[in-house]
Short mmCIF file of all heavy atoms in Angstrom, two decimals:
data_model
loop_
_atom_site.label_atom_id
_atom_site.label_comp_id
_atom_site.label_asym_id
_atom_site.label_seq_id
_atom_site.Cartn_x
_atom_site.Cartn_y
_atom_site.Cartn_z
N TYR A 561 -11.47 0.89 30.45
CA TYR A 561 -10.88 1.86 29.53
C TYR A 561 -11.26 1.50 28.10
O TYR A 561 -11.55 0.33 27.79
CB TYR A 561 -9.35 1.86 29.63
CG TYR A 561 -8.81 2.40 30.94
CD1 TYR A 561 -8.54 1.55 32.00
CD2 TYR A 561 -8.58 3.76 31.10
CE1 TYR A 561 -8.06 2.04 33.21
CE2 TYR A 561 -8.09 4.27 32.30
CZ TYR A 561 -7.83 3.40 33.35
OH TYR A 561 -7.35 3.89 34.54
N GLY A 562 -11.25 2.50 27.22
CA GLY A 562 -11.42 2.26 25.80
C GLY A 562 -10.09 1.91 25.17
O GLY A 562 -9.03 2.16 25.75
N PHE A 563 -10.13 1.37 23.94
CA PHE A 563 -8.87 0.92 23.33
C PHE A 563 -8.01 2.08 22.82
O PHE A 563 -6.89 1.87 22.38
CB PHE A 563 -9.13 -0.10 22.21
CG PHE A 563 -9.97 0.37 21.07
CD1 PHE A 563 -9.45 1.21 20.09
CD2 PHE A 563 -11.29 -0.05 20.94
CE1 PHE A 563 -10.22 1.64 19.03
CE2 PHE A 563 -12.07 0.37 19.87
CZ PHE A 563 -11.53 1.22 18.92
N MET A 564 -8.52 3.31 22.89
CA MET A 564 -7.71 4.46 22.53
C MET A 564 -7.18 5.20 23.76
O MET A 564 -6.45 6.18 23.63
CB MET A 564 -8.53 5.44 21.68
CG MET A 564 -8.90 4.95 20.30
SD MET A 564 -7.48 4.78 19.20
CE MET A 564 -7.04 6.50 18.95
N GLN A 565 -7.56 4.73 24.95
CA GLN A 565 -7.20 5.45 26.17
C GLN A 565 -5.97 4.87 26.85
O GLN A 565 -5.65 3.69 26.70
CB GLN A 565 -8.39 5.45 27.15
CG GLN A 565 -9.56 6.29 26.66
CD GLN A 565 -10.75 6.19 27.60
OE1 GLN A 565 -11.31 5.12 27.82
NE2 GLN A 565 -11.15 7.33 28.15
N GLU A 566 -5.30 5.71 27.62
CA GLU A 566 -4.13 5.28 28.39
C GLU A 566 -4.59 4.60 29.67
O GLU A 566 -5.45 5.10 30.38
CB GLU A 566 -3.27 6.50 28.73
CG GLU A 566 -2.07 6.16 29.59
CD GLU A 566 -1.40 7.41 30.14
OE1 GLU A 566 -1.91 8.51 29.89
OE2 GLU A 566 -0.39 7.27 30.83
N THR A 567 -4.01 3.43 29.95
CA THR A 567 -4.37 2.68 31.15
C THR A 567 -3.48 3.12 32.31
O THR A 567 -2.51 2.46 32.66
CB THR A 567 -4.23 1.17 30.91
OG1 THR A 567 -2.95 0.92 30.30
CG2 THR A 567 -5.31 0.67 29.98
N ASN A 568 -3.83 4.24 32.91
CA ASN A 568 -3.09 4.81 34.03
C ASN A 568 -3.78 4.40 35.32
O ASN A 568 -4.77 5.01 35.75
CB ASN A 568 -3.03 6.33 33.90
CG ASN A 568 -2.09 6.97 34.90
OD1 ASN A 568 -1.92 6.48 36.02
ND2 ASN A 568 -1.47 8.07 34.52
N VAL A 569 -3.28 3.33 35.95
CA VAL A 569 -3.94 2.77 37.13
C VAL A 569 -3.93 3.73 38.31
O VAL A 569 -4.97 3.93 38.96
CB VAL A 569 -3.32 1.41 37.50
CG1 VAL A 569 -3.78 0.96 38.89
CG2 VAL A 569 -3.70 0.36 36.45
N PRO A 570 -2.79 4.37 38.67
CA PRO A 570 -2.84 5.33 39.79
C PRO A 570 -3.87 6.43 39.59
O PRO A 570 -4.56 6.82 40.55
CB PRO A 570 -1.41 5.89 39.83
CG PRO A 570 -0.57 4.80 39.27
CD PRO A 570 -1.42 4.19 38.20
N GLN A 571 -4.00 6.92 38.36
CA GLN A 571 -5.00 7.95 38.09
C GLN A 571 -6.40 7.38 38.25
O GLN A 571 -7.30 8.03 38.78
CB GLN A 571 -4.81 8.50 36.68
CG GLN A 571 -5.77 9.63 36.30
CD GLN A 571 -5.58 10.86 37.16
OE1 GLN A 571 -4.45 11.23 37.48
NE2 GLN A 571 -6.67 11.50 37.55
N GLY A 572 -6.58 6.12 37.79
CA GLY A 572 -7.88 5.49 37.93
C GLY A 572 -8.26 5.27 39.39
O GLY A 572 -9.43 5.40 39.76
N LEU A 573 -7.26 4.95 40.21
CA LEU A 573 -7.54 4.73 41.64
C LEU A 573 -7.98 6.01 42.34
O LEU A 573 -8.73 5.97 43.31
CB LEU A 573 -6.30 4.16 42.33
CG LEU A 573 -5.90 2.73 41.92
CD1 LEU A 573 -4.60 2.33 42.59
CD2 LEU A 573 -7.00 1.74 42.26
N LYS A 574 -7.51 7.14 41.83
CA LYS A 574 -7.92 8.42 42.43
C LYS A 574 -9.42 8.66 42.24
O LYS A 574 -10.02 9.41 43.01
CB LYS A 574 -7.13 9.57 41.81
CG LYS A 574 -5.67 9.61 42.21
CD LYS A 574 -4.97 10.80 41.57
CE LYS A 574 -3.49 10.84 41.95
NZ LYS A 574 -2.78 11.98 41.31
N GLU A 575 -9.98 8.03 41.22
CA GLU A 575 -11.41 8.20 40.95
C GLU A 575 -12.27 7.30 41.83
O GLU A 575 -13.49 7.40 41.82
CB GLU A 575 -11.68 7.93 39.47
CG GLU A 575 -10.92 8.87 38.53
CD GLU A 575 -11.11 8.50 37.07
OE1 GLU A 575 -12.09 7.80 36.76
OE2 GLU A 575 -10.27 8.90 36.24
N MET A 576 -11.63 6.40 42.57
CA MET A 576 -12.37 5.52 43.48
C MET A 576 -12.46 6.17 44.86
O MET A 576 -11.46 6.28 45.57
CB MET A 576 -11.65 4.16 43.60
CG MET A 576 -11.72 3.31 42.36
SD MET A 576 -11.04 1.65 42.68
CE MET A 576 -11.18 0.91 41.07
N GLU A 577 -13.62 6.59 45.24
CA GLU A 577 -13.79 7.22 46.55
C GLU A 577 -14.32 6.23 47.58
O GLU A 577 -14.34 6.53 48.77
CB GLU A 577 -14.76 8.40 46.42
CG GLU A 577 -14.24 9.50 45.52
CD GLU A 577 -15.22 10.65 45.39
OE1 GLU A 577 -16.34 10.52 45.92
OE2 GLU A 577 -14.86 11.65 44.74
N ARG A 578 -14.73 5.08 47.10
CA ARG A 578 -15.21 4.06 48.03
C ARG A 578 -14.10 3.04 48.27
O ARG A 578 -12.94 3.40 48.30
CB ARG A 578 -16.45 3.38 47.44
CG ARG A 578 -17.66 4.32 47.33
CD ARG A 578 -18.77 3.70 46.55
NE ARG A 578 -18.41 3.54 45.13
CZ ARG A 578 -19.11 2.82 44.28
NH1 ARG A 578 -20.17 2.17 44.68
NH2 ARG A 578 -18.73 2.73 43.01
N CYS A 579 -14.45 1.81 48.43
CA CYS A 579 -13.48 0.73 48.60
C CYS A 579 -12.64 0.93 49.86
O CYS A 579 -11.43 0.74 49.87
CB CYS A 579 -12.57 0.62 47.37
SG CYS A 579 -11.79 -1.00 47.20
N GLY A 580 -13.30 1.34 50.95
CA GLY A 580 -12.60 1.42 52.23
C GLY A 580 -11.76 2.66 52.42
O GLY A 580 -10.91 2.71 53.31
#
Side-chain angles (χ1 to χ4, degrees):
Y561 291 93
F563 60 77
M564 292 292 291
Q565 291 176 299
E566 177 191 3
T567 48
N568 189 328
V569 167
Q571 183 64 39
L573 292 175
K574 289 181 181 179
E575 300 175 20
M576 290 188 182
E577 297 179 355
R578 294 170 292 168
C579 202

